[in-house]
Amino acid sequence: RSTTKSINVKQQAIEAIDRIINGNPIVISKKGKLIFKNIAKEARVSPTELHRDFRDVMLYVSSLKDSKNESITIHASLVRKRCMEAIERFKTGETRNVNKNAKVTVASVAKEADVSDSYLYAYFPDILNKINELQGEYARYGNKEKHDKLLKALTILLSKNEVITVKKVCREAGFSETFDMMVRKSYPDAHNQILIEIEKQKTSRHTQDRLILLEALERLKNGNPKNTPPIPNGGYISVRKLMNESGIGEGVIKKNHPDIYQECLKKITIKTEDVWLVKSDFDAVSKGDTETHKLNFSNIHFDWLISSAKAFIKAVFSTRSKSTLKTNIDAITFFSRALYSINPECEAHEVTRSEMQKVFFEWSKSELKSSTIKRRLASLRQYFEWCEDTNFIKFGATKLIRDTDYPSLPKSIPKFIPENVMSQLNQHIDKLNPDVTRFFLVLQEVGMRISECCSLMFNCISPDENGDYFLKYYQFKMKKDHIVPISAELVSVIREQQKAMITEFGQAPVLLFTTPKFQENGIPYPRAGKAWSKGTLIKNLNALAVENNINDASGKVIRFGFHQFRHTVATRMINNGVPQHIVQKYLGHETPVMTSTYAHILDETLKKEFKKFNSTMIDINGKKFNDQDIINDLTMGTDANNIDAQWLKKNIAMQTLPNGLCSLPVVQGGCPHANACLTCSNFRTDHTFLPQHKEQLQRTEVIIETCKKNGWVRQLEMNENIKESLVKIIAPLESN
């Protein structure tokens, strides 16, 4: 055992005790008690090390508390002389002031020399060193037979290559596990020998672990791991991958090999010869995009195909989204795999229509979905057409992919969430993390796509001139901003989320739904400060469904999907009688065809009525309008006060007329022309209101007769205009 190290430990402990007494500790709390555990922590040494090298630490603490020893006036040289004489008497067994069988400690030597032990600790390190040496010579306390058993048990465990602990040595020697405390106190030389072997094993284990880690790291870099799948091109060696490859835990790597741990945290990509790492700009990131996109060409067979694929991606890079570029590369990759299985030596000029049909056959054998094949063909066709247009590469034929090659897709009914399931969900939704709860409340009212909700900007709501609120978000699919009216309740939810984010980060973040710093269990979130992970969100929601037994009609626990909320919003609107062209506008669809996929109505009567309503609309002159005509009449924009947003607000709130609807948006209050609908060019109606129009025509004819009899010229003229409009409206409606 190193004497110098022992003195250093003692000195550190003495200084730590002094700081604790004076109320200015560095490590522990200022209110920390002067106990053994706190002293070790403040001294920055392990409790075992402190006990081994400063066995009398608590006796020293006691001496400081003894008021009679607070003042030391004996000259230093006299104290040293007395102590040296006392040590000699301990050696010969002729002590005067203490028992002849007393243990050799600083306290016993100080008592024998008739001086204060605190004085020795503070000013005589040489005396402490002498006492330390003496303890080594006369350290075998307790029963000699038990001492020998302990050393023999230690030797046996070492021969078996067992991991040494004090408890394990006690078990091997035939003693109880609690005997380890007796070993520490009464068998110090045996205890020290055990600690020495533990330290040796620890050093050896660290050396061995480091060797294993470095070898595993090298295998991962070279692409030939033994215990894990190879890292794909453009990937990086993470701590988890190194942990799985080496079999050494993350905690051990972090604590004992910090340099290797930090190397993994850098996330340095490997094998990037055919992998492009494309950085997104801040605007893309702020709207929920990822910071870095990986375009991987390394899995494409044939050099001519790789070079042409890279040239194609470079050419279209500025006009396409990163996800579309990735889809293009994936299609070329799958094409190369099929072509390689058919002809491993294939050249570009050998790619003919016949070869393409073989590729299609290979894809059909893999049981791919029709939608996957169709998407793959569309992306591959873009590549072929670019090659033909630029003459970058010559294939064996033109028109390698034709319209007839695309599979026909079955029309599937949208999967919406039944109302009874939505009711169950909202009963338990408050049990989620508050941020997640608010996220799904926004999603279920607005019906936006998941990427749109994740990328909602912090300041996403704005009022119009009438005090109603609108939500503005970016539609990645349509590449445009979109604005929709929202309820006062949802405005409160969003404001709650804004306050929570400011509290979390100290300022307003870029995104409304920003991942917080810590999870509920106190563990830091890896994505803190970024957009929420879609996987985390849906995992939380489905866990809630399982925990609270949220079932469908068959009694089976429901499994939620993000897009179901969009289907549900659209279906609710249709079932509530909202016209399809208004649903189209609310969802931000470009064409009625897109909206029609959501128009799933459960009630058969409503289905029939919807079909009737969705046919032809008539104005006061009998002119026919369809849904798209009405939409095309609207001015596009993204301001809460523009015509588009106001029209949508009015109609989505179902502010319809008793006999039709008004195509004029409400911008400043209500219509100024009371009861003038049948003479207004903005009036629209259809045959669902035909009975009301016929009844009004009969009443109007009676009024006309009365006006004629009484000579009411002005009233007669007004009602004749109304009659004329009604006739023009009724005639085409009856013919439909």
Side-chain angles (χ1 to χ4, degrees):
R1 186 178 64 198
S2 171
T3 303
T4 304
K5 183 178 180 182
S6 301
I7 293 174
N8 288 340
V9 169
K10 290 179 181 178
Q11 187 61 35
Q12 286 174 245
I14 291 170
E15 291 173 357
I17 292 168
D18 185 59
R19 289 196 299 272
I20 295 172
I21 290 174
N22 293 326
N24 56 355
I26 300 172
V27 179
I28 68 170
S29 168
K30 289 185 177 181
K31 296 182 180 180
K33 295 181 180 179
L34 193 59
I35 58 177
F36 182 81
K37 182 175 70 173
N38 283 348
I39 294 169
K41 190 173 182 180
E42 178 64 26
R44 291 189 175 92
V45 296
S46 70
T48 301
E49 190 177 14
L50 180 60
H51 185 272
R52 180 189 66 197
D53 295 331
F54 193 5
R55 189 178 300 276
D56 303 328
V57 60
M58 297 315 294
L59 290 175
Y60 171 66
V61 172
S62 298
S63 72
L64 295 177
K65 296 177 181 178
D66 191 349
S67 59
K68 70 179 182 180
N69 291 326
E70 287 180 359
S71 176
I72 305 296
T73 58
I74 304 175
H75 193 272
S77 60
L78 180 58
V79 171
R80 181 174 281 105
K81 181 181 178 182
R82 284 185 182 182
C83 290
M84 295 302 291
E85 290 172 352
I87 290 172
E88 290 300 320
R89 287 196 294 275
F90 266 99
K91 289 181 180 180
T92 60
E94 298 176 354
T95 54
R96 300 170 186 172
N97 301 325
V98 298
N99 190 287
K100 293 181 179 181
N101 296 321
K103 298 176 182 179
V104 182
T105 65
V106 175
S108 62
V109 170
K111 187 176 182 181
E112 177 65 20
D114 194 22
V115 296
S116 170
D117 55 350
S118 61
Y119 194 45
L120 297 185
Y121 283 119
Y123 301 108
F124 296 98
D126 57 329
I127 297 298
L128 296 178
N129 189 30
K130 287 286 184 181
I131 295 172
N132 191 57
E133 291 175 359
L134 191 61
Q135 285 177 335
E137 286 184 48
Y138 300 91
R140 187 177 294 148
Y141 310 126
N143 185 284
K144 184 179 185 304
E145 183 181 351
K146 290 183 178 179
H147 173 271
D148 293 340
K149 279 186 177 181
L150 288 169
L151 293 182
K152 185 178 179 181
L154 177 62
T155 305
I156 293 171
L157 290 175
L158 289 172
S159 66
K160 293 180 179 179
N161 291 322
E162 294 274 355
V163 176
I164 305 299
T165 64
V166 178
K167 287 184 181 292
K168 192 176 287 187
V169 171
C170 291
R171 284 199 302 269
E172 184 65 30
F175 305 136
S176 66
E177 286 191 2
T178 56
F179 190 76
D180 65 325
M181 293 305 298
M182 186 64 70
V183 173
R184 291 184 174 93
K185 292 180 179 179
S186 301
Y187 299 89
D189 58 339
H191 183 237
N192 288 340
Q193 190 61 40
I194 293 171
L195 293 180
I196 289 170
E197 296 301 332
I198 290 174
E199 190 68 27
K200 286 181 181 178
Q201 282 193 344
K202 183 179 177 182
T203 304
S204 175
R205 187 168 62 251
H206 287 179
T207 304
Q208 186 64 27
D209 285 351
R210 186 171 188 82
L211 185 62
I212 293 171
L213 286 169
L214 291 174
E215 290 176 350
L217 199 62
E218 193 63 27
R219 290 197 300 272
L220 289 171
K221 287 180 179 178
N222 295 333
N224 55 354
K226 294 180 181 178
N227 307 314
T228 57
I231 297 174
N233 291 340
Y236 60 87
I237 301 173
S238 65
V239 176
R240 184 170 294 277
K241 288 174 183 174
L242 180 60
M243 180 181 71
N244 293 336
E245 177 62 23
S246 65
I248 298 173
E250 182 177 350
V252 174
I253 301 173
K254 184 177 182 179
K255 181 180 179 181
N256 301 326
H257 310 280
D259 56 329
I260 296 177
Y261 187 80
Q262 290 299 324
E263 185 70 18
C264 294
L265 291 183
K266 292 178 183 176
K267 295 185 178 180
I268 299 173
T269 54
I270 61 174
K271 296 182 290 186
T272 57
E273 298 83 6
D274 289 319
V275 179
W276 295 353
L277 300 176
V278 183
K279 292 285 185 179
S280 298
D281 57 19
F282 176 79
D283 188 53
V285 175
S286 69
K287 289 179 177 176
D289 215 347
T290 54
E291 294 181 13
T292 304
H293 293 269
K294 190 184 299 179
L295 303 180
N296 192 349
F297 300 89
S298 63
N299 298 318
I300 300 176
H301 296 280
F302 311 111
D303 291 339
W304 57 267
L305 193 53
I306 293 175
S307 60
S308 59
K310 288 181 177 179
F312 165 64
I313 295 300
K314 281 183 181 179
V316 300
F317 184 84
S318 60
T319 59
R320 299 188 183 179
S321 68
K322 307 303 181 294
S323 58
T324 302
L325 295 174
K326 187 178 180 300
T327 302
N328 289 137
I329 295 172
D330 288 344
I332 296 171
T333 301
F334 288 117
F335 164 67
S336 75
R337 288 179 185 174
L339 189 62
Y340 186 82
S341 66
I342 297 166
N343 181 4
E345 304 296 330
C346 186
E347 294 294 333
H349 66 271
E350 297 177 299
V351 179
T352 62
R353 177 68 184 163
S354 175
E355 294 296 301
M356 288 304 302
Q357 288 175 332
K358 293 176 184 178
V359 169
F360 300 156
F361 179 70
E362 288 293 319
W363 286 354
S364 67
K365 291 192 298 182
S366 60
E367 299 182 353
L368 292 169
K369 292 182 179 179
S370 297
S371 58
T372 302
I373 294 177
K374 187 173 183 178
R375 184 168 58 251
R376 194 176 287 180
L377 284 172
S379 296
L380 192 60
R381 189 173 190 174
Q382 293 171 7
Y383 159 73
F384 285 142
E385 289 176 351
W386 177 84
C387 290
E388 292 169 7
D389 293 341
T390 60
N391 290 319
F392 186 90
I393 197 167
K394 292 285 186 180
F395 293 105
T398 57
K399 301 294 181 186
L400 292 171
I401 297 177
R402 300 174 182 173
D403 292 341
T404 54
D405 295 325
Y406 290 89
S408 57
L409 301 180
K411 292 184 179 179
S412 58
I413 295 176
K415 297 179 181 179
F416 63 95
I417 304 171
E419 290 301 327
N420 68 316
V421 174
M422 287 296 292
S423 177
Q424 294 176 65
L425 171 61
N426 288 325
Q427 285 176 10
H428 303 288
I429 199 167
D430 287 339
K431 296 177 182 178
L432 292 169
N433 176 296
D435 292 348
V436 179
T437 297
R438 290 188 281 265
F439 180 93
F440 282 107
L441 288 175
V442 172
L443 195 66
Q444 69 174 267
E445 177 171 322
V446 181
M448 59 180 69
R449 300 175 184 88
I450 177 60
S451 59
E452 296 162 355
C453 199
C454 284
S455 62
L456 266 177
M457 304 300 286
F458 184 83
N459 295 313
C460 58
I461 56 173
S462 57
D464 64 3
E465 295 174 353
N466 300 319
D468 295 313
Y469 281 86
F470 291 78
L471 181 74
K472 179 180 178 180
Y473 63 94
Y474 184 78
Q475 291 188 318
F476 289 102
K477 188 173 182 179
M478 302 303 170
K479 295 182 176 58
K480 66 177 183 180
D481 285 321
H482 187 59
I483 189 165
V484 293
I486 55 175
S487 65
E489 291 79 7
L490 192 63
V491 173
S492 299
V493 169
I494 292 173
R495 283 178 172 164
E496 234 178 81
Q497 179 63 15
Q498 289 172 333
K499 290 179 182 177
M501 289 295 94
I502 292 174
T503 302
E504 178 77 17
F505 295 99
Q507 60 182 1
V510 175
L511 301 179
L512 177 65
F513 293 107
T514 302
T515 309
K517 296 177 181 178
F518 297 98
Q519 303 178 44
E520 291 180 346
N521 56 11
I523 298 175
Y525 264 119
R527 292 182 58 87
K530 299 180 180 179
W532 273 93
S533 163
K534 300 171 188 175
T536 300
L537 290 167
I538 203 65
K539 181 180 177 181
N540 275 265
L541 190 64
N542 284 317
L544 180 75
V546 173
E547 290 168 6
N548 296 280
N549 203 29
I550 300 177
N551 298 330
D552 59 15
S554 66
K556 184 179 178 182
V557 174
I558 197 78
R559 185 169 181 81
F560 290 101
F562 290 119
H563 216 64
Q564 289 176 314
F565 289 95
R566 187 167 173 83
H567 288 281
T568 304
V569 169
T571 302
R572 274 178 173 176
M573 292 171 71
I574 295 292
N575 282 341
N576 288 330
V578 180
Q580 183 175 333
H581 60 277
I582 297 176
V583 179
Q584 174 187 340
K585 194 66 190 164
Y586 188 83
L587 296 178
H589 287 160
E590 295 289 339
T591 65
V593 177
M594 298 174 71
T595 311
S596 65
T597 62
Y598 294 92
H600 176 65
I601 303 174
L602 302 179
D603 187 86
E604 291 299 325
T605 304
L606 281 175
K607 284 185 181 180
K608 293 175 184 177
E609 293 302 317
F610 174 77
K611 288 179 181 177
K612 292 177 183 177
F613 184 85
N614 198 37
S615 56
T616 304
M617 301 194 77
I618 305 296
D619 69 1
I620 60 170
N621 295 311
K623 180 183 175 182
K624 297 181 179 180
F625 290 83
N626 59 36
D627 297 344
Q628 193 59 41
D629 289 331
I630 295 175
I631 291 173
N632 291 338
D633 286 342
L634 298 173
T635 303
M636 299 299 293
T638 57
D639 179 29
N641 291 300
N642 72 6
I643 297 175
D644 183 25
Q646 289 295 326
W647 180 87
L648 183 58
K649 180 188 77 172
K650 175 182 176 181
N651 286 284
I652 205 67
M654 301 188 67
Q655 296 175 1
T656 55
L657 302 173
N659 54 354
L661 61 87
C662 179
S663 69
L664 181 66
V666 178
V667 179
Q668 297 179 344
C671 175
H673 309 294
N675 303 317
C677 295
L678 290 176
T679 59
C680 178
S681 60
N682 293 304
F683 179 72
R684 302 286 185 272
T685 187
D686 67 5
H687 73 284
T688 57
F689 299 103
L690 189 57
Q692 290 97 311
H693 295 316
K694 286 184 176 180
E695 182 184 353
Q696 186 174 2
L697 178 60
Q698 292 176 357
R699 286 189 281 107
T700 302
E701 288 175 340
V702 171
I703 292 172
I704 289 173
E705 290 300 321
T706 302
C707 291
K708 287 180 179 179
K709 290 179 182 179
N710 294 292
W712 298 339
V713 179
R714 184 174 176 278
Q715 289 87 341
L716 177 63
E717 181 182 351
M718 181 180 67
N719 281 282
E720 283 181 339
N721 289 336
I722 292 174
K723 177 181 178 181
E724 182 182 356
S725 295
L726 285 169
V727 170
K728 290 179 180 178
I729 289 171
I730 292 171
L733 290 180
E734 285 183 327
S735 65
N736 285 340

